[in-house]
Amino acid sequence: MTAPGGMRRRQLLTAGLAGLALVDAAPTAALAQACAATDSLRRLAAQKGLVYGTTIAAWQILHDPPFIRLVEQQAGLVVPENDMKWQDINRGRPGDDDYSRADAVAGFAVESGMALRGHNLLWYFRTPPWFFTLPDRKAKEGAVIAHITALAGRYRGIVHSWDVVNEPIEPRDGRPDGLRKAVFLEALGPGYLDLAYRLAHETDPAAKLVVNEYNVELDAPEHETRRVVLLELLQRMRQSGTPVDAVGIQAHLHAVGGPPFAADRFRRFLADIAALGLTIEITELDVSDEEAPADIARRDRLVADTYRRFLDVALDEPAVKVVVTWGLSDRHSWIVRHETDRSRWRKDGLPSRPLPFDAELRPKPAFAAIAEAFAHAPARTPG
Ligand code: 9MR
């Protein structure tokens, strides 16, 4: 990693943690035992030229030291689950930005020698409410430019890859180009993508620029359409010289229910992305168990098998360079927190178990499945 341009590394950490009481606690005996018995996903991934990472949050750095120690043991990369989203940085009026949580995550990554993913510069779903009330196109373009310049500029030189535009496609919206009819497209037209990627590149030339998308891995007409539309978008971006380096595949999977994994089509899809000269990052992998049986051993087995089936195919593609799980322990997961659609909650009210470590930070079969997938993956050039 090169030296940061926006802020000095030490400044990032101290600025982010300023004013907040830093809790520190000795590791529990149980955690120490589990860690000793557990190889690290970071090391297994690195042996194959892969980077393994997880989400974290600033409040976890401050208030959950045992979890953070597990992150330091297991992950080579972190991504703020929410702390860099526009609406999380700006909770008030234009310009009234609070980067303290984002700074804390970035500072933690730097201090721990981990790579940092930037998530994200633009996402229709987390745009501050005032943006929608700006009077005209010029004002909206100005706000987008100011936001990207400020956010990408602040962490210049320390971000491994930026999700520049999160979730830009939605074929169901009916446009011939498959783009999502949402705030930025409506305000600035389809050219907003080129504007965002060019500006991100100018602001932080070292960061890889990613198009991050979901629902592109199953054997279902909707997923097939999304694969086609996403490839077409990437082709257009390559042809027009829009600076894009990688595709982020979120991969929020389900252990039971819904369409099956489209192993062969997904394999071809990854090869098609690679043929465009792009790398691939698995950016938000988790496995929800809402329709799996209550019995924990059976449930954990089904979740683990889902991780393994998916990763075995994904990691066969040498353009895949990064695997991020959307959380590391069931202690901190959007699925367990019920931030998913109500239809996706377990009917029996039992807590979900979607991640490699349980809520007590003990490794689960999902951990072993990911470890084995890394161990069996072909080696690749790091990217
Ligand atoms: O996990 C995130 C959850 O805590 C937030 O409430 C939600 C809205 O900001 O975003 C979740 O993360 C999403 C990610 O940023 C983009 N892809 C889908 C993820 C799950 O909704």
Side-chain angles (χ1 to χ4, degrees):
M1 281 187 298
T2 53
M7 290 189 87
R8 299 181 63 81
R9 291 169 184 218
R10 176 53 82 175
Q11 272 179 319
L12 272 176
L13 189 68
T14 46
L17 300 180
L20 298 163
L22 186 58
V23 177
D24 201 6
T28 63
L31 175 64
Q33 215 178 0
C35 288
T38 306
D39 203 346
S40 119
L41 295 179
R42 172 190 185 135
R43 193 186 68 80
L44 290 167
Q47 281 177 345
K48 299 303 172 70
L50 285 160
V51 178
Y52 167 72
T54 176
T55 50
I56 57 166
W59 74 266
Q60 293 159 3
I61 299 172
L62 292 167
H63 299 296
D64 194 352
F67 171 72
I68 289 298
R69 268 192 282 275
L70 184 67
V71 170
E72 286 171 327
Q73 185 212 19
Q74 293 294 328
L77 174 151
V78 286
V79 51
E81 181 172 7
N82 290 307
D83 292 328
M84 281 187 188
K85 292 171 184 172
W86 195 353
Q87 206 180 95
D88 294 75
I89 286 171
N90 183 294
R91 294 175 177 179
R93 287 170 300 132
D96 198 4
D97 295 335
D98 175 4
Y99 291 94
S100 59
R101 289 175 298 274
D103 285 354
V105 171
F108 169 77
V110 169
E111 291 289 309
S112 315
M114 292 186 195
L116 173 69
R117 290 200 83 249
H119 178 76
N120 45 56
L121 293 175
L122 295 180
W123 187 20
Y124 73 96
F125 189 61
R126 294 298 286 168
T127 306
W130 55 258
F131 183 88
F132 296 80
T133 67
L134 292 173
D136 53 26
R137 179 187 171 127
K138 193 158 173 277
K140 288 180 175 166
E141 188 174 273
V144 163
I145 291 172
H147 174 62
I148 294 179
T149 311
L151 183 52
R154 191 171 183 89
Y155 307 113
R156 179 170 65 240
I158 59 170
V159 171
H160 166 278
S161 47
W162 263 116
D163 294 330
V164 177
V165 177
N166 197 38
E167 304 171 3
I169 65 162
E170 182 43 279
R172 279 190 288 191
D173 283 352
R175 287 176 54 95
D177 60 9
L179 291 181
R180 182 184 290 277
K181 276 191 199 164
V183 53
F184 303 113
L185 183 115
E186 277 161 358
L188 309 177
Y192 88 90
L193 283 159
D194 188 63
L195 171 77
Y197 282 82
R198 282 185 196 278
L199 191 56
H201 179 65
E202 280 164 24
T203 310
D204 186 355
K208 288 183 193 307
L209 304 185
V210 181
V211 176
N212 196 37
E213 266 302 348
Y214 66 96
N215 281 5
V216 290
E217 56 280 328
L218 301 186
D219 191 2
E222 190 207 341
H223 285 235
E224 180 62 17
T225 307
R226 293 176 63 85
R227 286 189 283 272
V228 170
V229 161
L230 180 54
L231 271 176
E232 287 171 356
L233 169 64
L234 297 166
Q235 274 155 3
R236 288 198 302 278
M237 290 172 87
R238 295 299 266 169
Q239 273 156 17
S240 64
T242 303
V244 56
D245 302 292
V247 176
I249 292 173
Q250 295 186 6
H252 293 289
L253 309 178
H254 298 265
V256 176
F261 176 43
D264 289 343
R265 284 170 191 224
F266 188 60
R267 201 182 283 282
R268 217 173 314 136
F269 176 59
L270 298 182
D272 288 344
I273 295 171
L276 289 171
L278 301 169
T279 59
I280 300 163
E281 305 188 11
I282 307 302
T283 49
E284 303 186 14
L285 180 60
D286 57 13
V287 180
S288 113
D289 62 359
E290 78 271 17
E291 288 184 38
D295 178 73
I296 284 181
R298 285 177 65 203
R299 201 160 19 128
D300 283 358
R301 188 71 259 149
L302 288 162
V303 167
D305 290 348
T306 307
Y307 272 108
R308 184 71 199 269
R309 264 197 306 277
F310 175 82
L311 283 175
D312 278 352
V313 173
L315 298 180
D316 262 353
E317 170 53 61
V320 173
K321 309 291 187 188
V322 173
V323 175
V324 177
T325 51
W326 206 237
L328 183 63
S329 144
D330 296 337
R331 183 182 286 195
H332 303 302
S333 158
W334 71 302
I335 295 169
V336 181
R337 291 195 302 268
H338 277 174
E339 289 171 5
T340 47
D341 191 83
R342 182 175 271 273
S343 63
R344 297 242 158 112
W345 299 359
R346 284 190 66 83
K347 303 281 179 291
D348 57 15
L350 291 173
S352 283
R353 300 173 59 83
L355 290 167
F357 288 79
D358 72 10
E360 274 70 53
L361 310 179
R362 293 172 303 216
K364 293 160 53 189
F367 168 84
I370 299 171
E372 283 163 24
F374 287 165
H376 286 95
R380 67 214 61 218
T381 329

